[in-house]
Amino acid sequence: MSEINALEELQSELTCPVCLELFREPVILECGHHFCRVCIAHCWEAKADEQPTCPKCRKSVTSKLRPNSLLCNVVDSVRRAHPGDTLTSPASVTGGGEDLEDPEEREAGSSMSSVASSNGFWPRMSADMCEEHEERLKLYCESDQLPICLVCGMSRDHKTHNVIPINEAFENYKDKLSVTLERVELQVGEASLFLQHTNDKIQHIKEQADDLEHQVSSEFDLLREFLREEEQRIKESLREKKEGKLDQLEKALTQATEQIGQLETRAEELRLKLQEEESPEQLKGFKDFIRGAESLFEPPLEGSVDLHSGDIMGPLQYSTWRKMHSVLQPAMTAVTLDPDTAYPRLCVSPCRSSVWVGDIQPNLPDNPERFTRYNIVLGYEAFSAGRHYWEVEVGSKTAWGLGVATASVNRKEVISLCPDDGFWTMGRRGDPPDGGDGVGEYEACTDAEECALHPPRAPRRVGVYLDYAGGQVSFYDAADMSHLFSFRGARFTEPVYPYFNPWPIMHGRNRQPLTIVTPSC
């Protein structure tokens, strides 16, 4: 092992930094570094228009080359003492043994031509050799991202570039690879987490859809069961009427049959009378006999033979729909206004179904339930369970608000009308931007930000749906029950009341009332 180390040390001392071979005609520069005469000349030829510099330390030197006879003698002595040994070829010291090329494939006059001719063979170009200068790649150009040799590093192509030793480049390369690997692994983790969350969402949507589908089926099963029962009830009524009519007619037939028998008997008696010989005795009681024969048949009462469709059909679908209210869940909820909560400028109708903006009403008590900063009035009915639905006529009003509010909302100070303050509301906020007869601006008051709504047409009647246990408040255009907006995930912990806001009169408009639709039973 010590001999190998000694050989490697000797190899390093007697090797040209450019061609990486044993020195040939070694020369020394002013900086003290040695090179083969051919190698240093070749380096300077590559940049003949620049000041000569040392390829190793980059210091400026003169072009005068001083031969180093002592070093030359040492190298020659080594060659003679070890002819054909490993010292004659650095590649053999580093584990070479590459295939040989034909000498004609190498450019004559290259930096390794003298070594090749003295050894009698041509080494194949290895992967760590510069193809242009046939020198070992010892530098790395960070600007071009290419490994280069010392000659390339001194050329004008790389003079202004950031050039570092290739070993340092390998260290940087591995460091950056490690950092990049960490980032990629982090991204893989993020992507895997996203994948998991997405799969969870997909599963949640499927489960939610299955649950909703089951609920829809249950709701329609109730309706179908009601319709089947109502159909059977009506058909049973029809059968009863039919049996009644038929029974009456059957009795009439029986009575008529009996009377026919009696009449035929009397007819036979009359025929026999006609065949008797005339005698005064025949005339006794003649009129009574004739009168009894003529008045014998009395037609039985038949009654009406028509099954009046009005009794069975009539507005069958409408009447069935009216009866269906008994099974609707929810059916239309009866809602009225609570005047004690109304803002002082609001007027509530005597039947407590309409509210509009008027003049401030004097002498109103400032009771705790009354709103004193906004045009708000609450419903009288409190809901703390179940599902409820009511409708409100908004007509042609240009601004209004509807929804629900919790019992503990602030009624005296500035509020946001959003869930954070105990309100779940939506409404219209004014005319269309162009001032025409368009849909106008609608919004739902959410906690995050105001949510603009864009219904296809301006609703004139709005339905409000509350599912207390399900934490849902939804709004619909009652004309076709098209969905406008839904609040979901609310956690109600106290009673909630219907919310009504007719908004102020603006530019002489918006005077129309908000009117609660009375359920028809």
Side-chain angles (χ1 to χ4, degrees):
M1 183 64 69
S2 60
E3 291 182 359
I4 294 176
N5 293 336
L7 288 174
E8 291 179 353
E9 184 176 356
L10 180 60
Q11 172 72 13
S12 175
E13 294 295 333
L14 301 180
T15 298
C16 173
V18 176
C19 66
L20 302 179
E21 301 287 349
L22 293 178
F23 284 115
R24 290 286 184 177
E25 300 182 51
V27 295
I28 184 171
L29 303 184
E30 295 174 350
C31 60
H33 293 128
H34 293 83
F35 300 91
C36 297
R37 180 182 294 276
V38 173
C39 293
I40 191 63
H42 186 76
C43 289
W44 289 350
E45 287 175 1
K47 51 176 187 175
D49 57 343
E50 299 181 8
Q51 175 69 27
T53 59
C54 173
K56 195 167 185 179
C57 66
R58 302 291 183 97
K59 290 183 178 180
S60 298
V61 296
T62 62
S63 58
K64 182 178 180 180
L65 300 176
R66 293 183 298 162
N68 190 330
S69 301
L70 178 59
L71 182 57
C72 183
N73 293 336
V74 172
V75 174
D76 290 340
S77 298
V78 171
R79 282 199 176 94
R80 287 193 299 272
H82 302 279
D85 202 352
T86 56
L87 289 176
T88 62
S89 174
S92 62
V93 174
T94 59
E98 293 87 347
D99 296 337
L100 301 181
E101 291 181 348
D102 190 291
E104 293 181 359
E105 296 181 7
R106 289 186 59 84
E107 179 183 357
S110 69
S111 61
M112 297 183 67
S113 61
S114 59
V115 177
S117 60
S118 65
N119 289 339
F121 62 84
W122 295 84
R124 180 181 296 274
M125 187 72 68
S126 63
D128 60 348
M129 301 296 289
C130 176
E131 294 182 358
E132 180 179 359
H133 304 115
E134 300 177 354
E135 305 295 343
R136 192 173 296 277
L137 302 174
K138 289 190 171 184
L139 302 176
Y140 180 76
C141 178
E142 292 185 327
S143 302
D144 291 340
Q145 303 184 46
L146 292 173
I148 60 176
C149 67
L150 293 172
V151 179
C152 293
M154 299 176 64
S155 65
R156 65 168 60 93
D157 293 338
H158 299 278
K159 182 179 179 180
T160 60
H161 293 177
N162 187 22
V163 177
I164 62 175
I166 197 165
N167 291 337
E168 182 179 340
F170 277 124
E171 293 177 0
N172 294 341
Y173 171 73
K174 291 180 179 179
D175 291 341
K176 291 180 180 179
L177 279 181
S178 298
V179 173
T180 304
L181 177 60
E182 291 179 359
R183 292 177 180 173
V184 171
E185 290 176 342
L186 180 61
Q187 292 176 0
V188 169
E190 293 177 354
S192 299
L193 187 60
F194 172 81
L195 185 64
Q196 180 181 350
H197 288 170
T198 302
N199 286 329
D200 291 343
K201 291 179 180 178
I202 292 174
Q203 184 64 28
H204 175 72
I205 290 174
K206 291 181 178 179
E207 293 176 353
Q208 191 177 40
D210 291 342
D211 182 61
L212 290 175
E213 183 176 350
H214 177 72
Q215 293 182 35
V216 169
S217 298
S218 299
E219 296 286 341
F220 277 95
D221 285 344
L222 290 174
L223 297 178
R224 281 189 287 266
E225 181 63 24
F226 169 81
L227 292 175
R228 281 193 294 267
E229 292 178 356
E230 187 66 12
E231 180 184 3
Q232 293 300 321
R233 187 192 65 78
I234 295 175
K235 288 182 177 179
E236 182 64 27
S237 176
L238 175 60
R239 281 192 293 269
E240 291 175 357
K241 292 179 181 295
K242 180 188 73 172
E243 295 297 331
K245 295 287 185 180
L246 293 177
D247 287 345
Q248 188 176 8
L249 291 174
E250 289 291 341
K251 290 178 180 181
L253 286 175
T254 301
Q255 294 176 6
T257 302
E258 292 176 351
Q259 292 188 48
I260 288 174
Q262 295 174 1
L263 289 173
E264 288 179 346
T265 301
R266 184 56 59 92
E268 183 63 24
E269 293 176 353
L270 291 174
R271 281 191 289 269
L272 291 176
K273 287 287 186 181
L274 287 173
Q275 295 176 0
E276 292 179 354
E277 294 181 1
E278 295 180 355
S279 68
E281 197 66 27
Q282 291 177 333
L283 300 177
K284 291 180 179 180
F286 174 74
K287 290 184 178 180
D288 294 334
F289 178 79
I290 295 299
R291 189 182 304 110
E294 291 178 348
S295 62
L296 183 62
F297 179 72
E298 296 180 2
L301 295 176
E302 298 180 3
S304 174
V305 298
D306 292 328
L307 293 173
H308 297 292
S309 61
D311 295 343
I312 304 300
M313 295 294 293
L316 178 61
Q317 294 184 5
Y318 177 76
S319 62
T320 303
W321 172 77
R322 291 286 298 270
K323 293 178 182 179
M324 195 177 292
H325 281 275
S326 62
V327 298
L328 292 180
Q329 297 181 2
M332 183 84 77
T333 304
V335 173
T336 57
L337 301 173
D338 183 1
D340 290 339
T341 65
Y343 180 70
R345 193 179 286 274
L346 296 183
C347 300
V348 177
S349 65
C351 61
R352 299 193 302 176
S353 62
S354 296
V355 59
W356 63 93
V357 178
D359 297 329
I360 293 181
Q361 303 178 52
N363 303 322
L364 282 178
D366 186 13
N367 51 300
E369 299 85 3
R370 190 176 306 281
F371 287 87
T372 57
R373 295 189 67 92
Y374 299 95
N375 294 312
I376 296 175
V377 59
L378 298 183
Y380 182 80
E381 293 75 17
F383 303 122
S384 56
R387 294 181 294 168
H388 308 273
Y389 176 79
W390 60 94
E391 294 180 355
V392 181
E393 287 283 354
V394 298
S396 58
K397 287 181 66 64
T398 56
W400 47 264
L402 298 172
V404 298
T406 59
S408 62
V409 293
N410 191 323
R411 310 182 185 210
K412 307 298 182 181
E413 300 176 358
V414 176
I415 49 179
S416 66
L417 300 179
C418 294
D420 277 349
D421 286 339
F423 293 86
W424 288 263
T425 67
M426 72 147 289
R428 182 173 180 175
R429 294 295 181 264
D431 292 326
D434 57 3
D437 297 328
V439 175
E441 297 182 358
Y442 296 81
E443 67 181 16
C445 297
T446 62
D447 289 331
E449 56 185 15
E450 291 183 347
C451 178
L453 305 178
H454 306 283
R457 60 182 175 275
R460 300 183 65 84
R461 178 185 291 190
V462 177
V464 183
Y465 171 71
L466 167 66
D467 182 355
Y468 189 93
Q472 178 180 339
V473 180
S474 298
F475 302 88
Y476 301 88
D477 183 344
D480 59 1
M481 293 305 293
S482 57
H483 179 251
L484 298 175
F485 185 79
S486 286
F487 291 94
R488 296 182 176 87
R491 297 182 178 179
F492 299 119
T493 58
E494 58 180 309
V496 296
Y497 293 84
Y499 158 93
F500 305 87
N501 187 338
W503 278 66
I505 298 173
M506 297 175 290
H507 309 293
R509 304 183 63 183
N510 200 41
R511 296 181 180 274
Q512 298 86 345
L514 289 176
T515 301
I516 302 171
V517 178
T518 303
S520 56
C521 300

Coordinates of all heavy atoms in Angstrom, one line a residue, residues 172-202:
N172 N -21.7 21.1 -5.1 CA -22.9 21.9 -5.3 C -24.1 21.1 -5.9 O -25.3 21.3 -5.5 CB -22.6 23.1 -6.1 CG -21.6 24.1 -5.5 OD1 -21.4 24.0 -4.2 ND2 -21.0 24.9 -6.2
Y173 N -23.7 20.3 -6.9 CA -24.7 19.5 -7.6 C -25.4 18.5 -6.6 O -26.6 18.5 -6.6 CB -24.0 18.7 -8.6 CG -24.8 17.6 -9.3 CD1 -25.8 18.0 -10.2 CD2 -24.6 16.3 -9.1 CE1 -26.6 17.0 -10.9 CE2 -25.3 15.3 -9.7 CZ -26.3 15.7 -10.6 OH -27.1 14.7 -11.2
K174 N -24.6 17.9 -5.7 CA -25.2 17.0 -4.7 C -26.1 17.7 -3.7 O -27.1 17.3 -3.3 CB -24.2 16.2 -4.1 CG -23.5 15.2 -5.0 CD -22.4 14.4 -4.3 CE -21.8 13.4 -5.2 NZ -20.7 12.6 -4.6
D175 N -25.6 18.9 -3.3 CA -26.3 19.7 -2.3 C -27.7 20.1 -2.9 O -28.7 20.1 -2.3 CB -25.5 21.0 -1.9 CG -24.3 20.6 -1.1 OD1 -24.3 19.5 -0.5 OD2 -23.4 21.4 -1.0
K176 N -27.6 20.6 -4.2 CA -28.9 21.1 -4.8 C -29.8 19.9 -5.1 O -31.0 20.0 -5.0 CB -28.5 21.8 -6.1 CG -27.9 23.1 -5.9 CD -27.5 23.8 -7.2 CE -26.8 25.1 -7.0 NZ -26.5 25.8 -8.3
L177 N -29.2 18.7 -5.4 CA -30.0 17.5 -5.6 C -30.7 17.2 -4.3 O -31.9 16.8 -4.3 CB -29.2 16.4 -6.1 CG -28.8 16.3 -7.5 CD1 -28.0 15.0 -7.8 CD2 -30.1 16.3 -8.4
S178 N -30.0 17.3 -3.2 CA -30.6 17.0 -1.9 C -31.7 17.9 -1.5 O -32.8 17.5 -1.1 CB -29.5 17.0 -0.8 OG -28.5 16.1 -1.0
V179 N -31.5 19.2 -1.8 CA -32.5 20.2 -1.5 C -33.7 20.0 -2.4 O -34.9 20.0 -1.9 CB -31.9 21.6 -1.7 CG1 -33.1 22.7 -1.6 CG2 -30.9 22.0 -0.7
T180 N -33.4 19.7 -3.7 CA -34.5 19.5 -4.6 C -35.3 18.2 -4.2 O -36.5 18.1 -4.3 CB -34.0 19.3 -6.1 OG1 -33.3 20.5 -6.4 CG2 -35.2 19.1 -7.1
L181 N -34.5 17.2 -3.8 CA -35.2 15.9 -3.4 C -36.1 16.2 -2.2 O -37.2 15.7 -2.1 CB -34.1 14.9 -3.0 CG -34.7 13.6 -2.5 CD1 -35.6 12.9 -3.5 CD2 -33.5 12.7 -2.1
E182 N -35.6 17.0 -1.2 CA -36.5 17.3 -0.1 C -37.8 18.0 -0.5 O -38.9 17.8 0.0 CB -35.7 18.2 0.9 CG -34.6 17.5 1.6 CD -33.8 18.4 2.5 OE1 -34.2 19.6 2.6 OE2 -32.9 17.9 3.2
R183 N -37.6 19.0 -1.5 CA -38.8 19.7 -2.0 C -39.7 18.8 -2.7 O -41.0 18.8 -2.5 CB -38.3 20.8 -2.9 CG -37.6 22.0 -2.2 CD -37.1 23.0 -3.2 NE -36.4 24.1 -2.5 CZ -35.8 25.1 -3.2 NH1 -35.8 25.1 -4.5 NH2 -35.1 26.0 -2.5
V184 N -39.2 17.9 -3.5 CA -40.0 17.0 -4.3 C -40.7 16.0 -3.3 O -41.9 15.7 -3.5 CB -39.2 16.2 -5.3 CG1 -40.0 15.0 -5.9 CG2 -38.7 17.1 -6.4
E185 N -40.0 15.5 -2.3 CA -40.6 14.7 -1.3 C -41.7 15.4 -0.6 O -42.8 14.8 -0.2 CB -39.6 14.1 -0.3 CG -38.6 13.1 -1.0 CD -37.5 12.7 0.0 OE1 -37.3 13.4 1.0 OE2 -36.9 11.6 -0.3
L186 N -41.5 16.7 -0.3 CA -42.5 17.5 0.4 C -43.7 17.7 -0.5 O -44.9 17.5 0.0 CB -41.9 18.9 0.8 CG -42.9 19.8 1.5 CD1 -43.3 19.2 2.8 CD2 -42.2 21.2 1.7
Q187 N -43.5 17.9 -1.8 CA -44.6 18.0 -2.7 C -45.3 16.7 -2.9 O -46.5 16.7 -3.1 CB -44.1 18.5 -4.1 CG -43.5 19.9 -4.1 CD -42.9 20.4 -5.4 OE1 -42.9 19.6 -6.3 NE2 -42.5 21.6 -5.5
V188 N -44.6 15.6 -2.9 CA -45.2 14.3 -2.9 C -46.1 14.1 -1.7 O -47.3 13.6 -1.8 CB -44.2 13.1 -3.0 CG1 -44.8 11.8 -2.7 CG2 -43.4 13.1 -4.3
G189 N -45.7 14.5 -0.5 CA -46.5 14.5 0.6 C -47.7 15.4 0.5 O -48.9 15.0 0.9
E190 N -47.5 16.6 0.0 CA -48.7 17.5 -0.2 C -49.7 16.9 -1.2 O -50.9 17.0 -1.0 CB -48.2 18.9 -0.7 CG -47.4 19.6 0.4 CD -46.9 20.9 -0.1 OE1 -47.0 21.2 -1.3 OE2 -46.3 21.7 0.7
A191 N -49.1 16.3 -2.3 CA -50.0 15.8 -3.3 C -50.7 14.6 -2.8 O -51.9 14.4 -3.1 CB -49.2 15.3 -4.6
S192 N -50.1 13.7 -2.0 CA -50.7 12.6 -1.3 C -51.8 13.1 -0.4 O -52.9 12.4 -0.4 CB -49.7 11.7 -0.6 OG -48.7 11.2 -1.5
L193 N -51.5 14.1 0.4 CA -52.5 14.6 1.3 C -53.7 15.2 0.5 O -54.9 15.0 0.9 CB -51.9 15.8 2.1 CG -52.8 16.3 3.3 CD1 -53.2 15.2 4.2 CD2 -52.1 17.4 4.0
F194 N -53.4 15.9 -0.6 CA -54.5 16.4 -1.5 C -55.3 15.3 -2.0 O -56.6 15.3 -2.1 CB -53.9 17.3 -2.6 CG -54.9 17.7 -3.6 CD1 -55.7 18.8 -3.4 CD2 -55.1 17.0 -4.8 CE1 -56.7 19.1 -4.4 CE2 -56.0 17.3 -5.8 CZ -56.8 18.4 -5.5
L195 N -54.6 14.2 -2.5 CA -55.3 13.0 -3.0 C -56.2 12.4 -2.0 O -57.4 12.1 -2.3 CB -54.3 12.0 -3.5 CG -54.8 10.8 -4.2 CD1 -55.5 11.1 -5.5 CD2 -53.6 9.8 -4.5
Q196 N -55.7 12.3 -0.8 CA -56.5 11.7 0.3 C -57.7 12.6 0.6 O -58.9 12.1 0.7 CB -55.7 11.6 1.6 CG -56.5 11.0 2.8 CD -55.6 10.9 4.0 OE1 -54.4 11.1 4.0 NE2 -56.2 10.6 5.1
H197 N -57.5 13.9 0.7 CA -58.6 14.8 0.9 C -59.7 14.8 -0.2 O -60.9 14.8 0.0 CB -58.1 16.3 1.1 CG -57.4 16.5 2.4 ND1 -56.7 17.7 2.6 CD2 -57.3 15.7 3.5 CE1 -56.1 17.6 3.8 NE2 -56.5 16.4 4.4
T198 N -59.2 14.7 -1.4 CA -60.1 14.6 -2.6 C -60.9 13.3 -2.5 O -62.1 13.4 -2.8 CB -59.3 14.7 -3.9 OG1 -58.5 16.0 -3.9 CG2 -60.2 14.7 -5.1
N199 N -60.2 12.2 -2.2 CA -61.0 11.0 -2.1 C -62.0 11.0 -1.0 O -63.1 10.5 -1.1 CB -60.0 9.8 -1.9 CG -59.2 9.5 -3.1 OD1 -59.7 9.6 -4.2 ND2 -58.0 9.0 -3.0
D200 N -61.6 11.7 0.1 CA -62.6 11.9 1.2 C -63.8 12.7 0.8 O -64.9 12.4 1.1 CB -61.9 12.5 2.4 CG -60.8 11.6 3.1 OD1 -60.9 10.4 2.8 OD2 -60.0 12.1 3.8
K201 N -63.5 13.7 0.0 CA -64.6 14.6 -0.5 C -65.5 13.8 -1.5 O -66.7 13.9 -1.4 CB -64.0 15.8 -1.2 CG -63.4 16.8 -0.3 CD -62.8 18.0 -1.1 CE -62.1 19.0 -0.2 NZ -61.6 20.1 -0.9
I202 N -64.9 13.0 -2.3 CA -65.6 12.1 -3.2 C -66.5 11.2 -2.5 O -67.7 11.0 -2.7 CB -64.7 11.3 -4.2 CG1 -64.0 12.3 -5.2 CG2 -65.5 10.3 -5.0 CD1 -62.9 11.6 -6.0

